[in-house]
Amino acid sequence: MKLEPVTSKRSIRIDDKDARLGGERKSDKALERATAKQVERICDLQRVFYADERYAMLIVLQGRDASGKDGTVRKVFRGVNPQGCAVASFKAPTEHERHHDFLWRIHRQVPERGMIRVFNRSHYEDIIVPRVHELIPKKVWTARYDQINDFERMLSANGVIILKFFLHISRAEQKRRLLERVTDETKNWKFREGDLDDRANWDRFTKAYRGVLANTSTKWAPWYIVPADDDDVRNWLIARTVAETLARLNLRYPKAEPAVLRKWRSRIERAD
Ligand code: AMP
Ligand code: MG
């Protein structure tokens, strides 16, 4: 099983039953091993990616509360050199941010070449939240589909490789995870009463996500729907997609000319 990008309305399957993989699941051990292998592959490829400096990589994580965005960051990127990778988390915009266009704070966090940046939430919140809570007119948030597609196309043409993951969980699994935030004292800090308001708007969020998936999955910035009820499966599928994308870039260490190397060698040898 491998994640496929969203290419048509038909490929947008985000009912409750789609939050789990169909068919036989690998054992926990096998899944862990498979994920560890992909994590190691990402780590090796990232070393070359950093040196190569031709590309940047932007990974967008979207999903409801408790869909596993934080866990994905922790598990999938645990192997990469912290010098070459960073996370940007987007909360509700501040007063200052709201005085700018909605992509202003996003663009500032776009990685430079050689770097990987993971977005924990993103510019997609600027369509989803105002749509669900009816904060701005429909024509304003619908226009953002094209604005985002154009922005991402510009980034892509400038060497930014973009991958977008929608972490899809079911209603029942979200309830289980929210309850865990109350019963597990190491998770209390994660609970916000607003999570319940958003849960009460479940169907409106589903509709908003459908709109985003249907209108903003492009060749240059595809969406992947991740069945995320099972976090081991989620980690494995995302790690594999990231590793394969890096592998396809034919990354290389920049090489110096033989004549230059000879000159360097003789200078080093003559140095004190
Ligand atoms: P969390 O990811 O749990 O820390 O929560 C962050 C909160 O900020 C979520 O409720 C998001 O919906 C909200 N948020 C993030 N970006 C935006 C945005 N552009 N507009 C409105 N709310 C946002
Ligand atoms: Mg939260």
Side-chain angles (χ1 to χ4, degrees), residues 48-66:
V48 198
F49 185 86
Y50 184 80
D52 186 313
E53 278 191 346
R54 280 178 300 160
Y55 306 105
M57 180 174 260
L58 171 57
I59 296 171
V60 170
L61 302 179
Q62 279 290 156
R64 300 172 194 270
D65 295 304

Side-chain angles (χ1 to χ4, degrees), residues 49 53-58 107 110-115 149-162 220 249:
F49 185 86
E53 278 191 346
R54 280 178 300 160
Y55 306 105
M57 180 174 260
L58 171 57
H107 203 165
V110 169
E112 65 214 68
R113 282 194 287 273
M115 295 289 292
N149 288 338
D150 289 345
F151 170 67
E152 291 177 347
R153 195 210 302 261
M154 181 279 290
L155 295 180
S156 157
N158 282 277
V160 184
I161 311 295
I162 306 172
W220 57 90
L249 297 175

Side-chain angles (χ1 to χ4, degrees), residues 253-271:
Y253 287 104
K255 272 207 177 81
E257 292 294 320
V260 174
L261 287 172
R262 276 196 300 277
K263 192 177 91 191
W264 287 351
R265 171 193 280 266
S266 82
R267 290 196 61 180
I268 294 166
E269 283 171 351
R270 275 187 282 118

Side-chain angles (χ1 to χ4, degrees), residues 16-148:
D16 267 13
K17 63 173 179 353
D18 305 312
R20 286 192 173 273
L21 273 189
E24 208 179 321
R25 179 187 182 279
K26 292 186 196 222
S27 69
D28 285 355
K29 270 259 158 357
L31 260 180
E32 243 166 64
R33 260 200 311 272
T35 306
K37 219 167 96 187
Q38 299 302 332
V39 164
E40 200 173 313
R41 219 173 138 206
I42 293 172
C43 167
D44 292 343
L45 287 161
Q46 187 260 342
R47 290 174 75 137
V48 198
F49 185 86
Y50 184 80
D52 186 313
E53 278 191 346
R54 280 178 300 160
Y55 306 105
M57 180 174 260
L58 171 57
I59 296 171
V60 170
L61 302 179
Q62 279 290 156
R64 300 172 194 270
D65 295 304
S67 57
K69 300 180 290 297
D70 294 338
T72 301
V73 171
R74 213 167 43 239
K75 299 291 181 170
V76 174
F77 299 94
R78 64 184 180 225
V80 302
N81 179 348
Q83 186 149 264
C85 182
V87 180
S89 296
F90 294 96
K91 311 285 178 189
T94 62
E95 189 65 28
H96 180 215
E97 288 168 343
R98 266 185 287 139
H99 279 76
H100 287 272
D101 67 273
F102 77 101
L103 289 170
W104 177 76
R105 66 174 188 162
I106 304 294
H107 203 165
R108 285 158 37 111
Q109 299 288 349
V110 169
E112 65 214 68
R113 282 194 287 273
M115 295 289 292
I116 298 176
R117 168 97 13 106
V118 184
F119 279 7
N120 186 335
R121 301 190 190 267
S122 66
H123 38 309
Y124 289 98
E125 296 286 324
D126 292 286
I127 294 179
I128 292 160
V129 176
R131 176 173 180 177
V132 168
H133 297 292
E134 298 180 351
L135 304 175
I136 53 178
K138 181 171 181 182
K139 73 172 193 305
V140 176
W141 60 256
T142 49
R144 290 184 176 176
Y145 292 140
D146 283 344
Q147 291 161 6
I148 288 178

Side-chain angles (χ1 to χ4, degrees), residues 65 121 181 190 192 195:
D65 295 304
R121 301 190 190 267
R181 291 183 173 183
K190 282 198 163 200
R192 246 182 354 112
D195 294 353

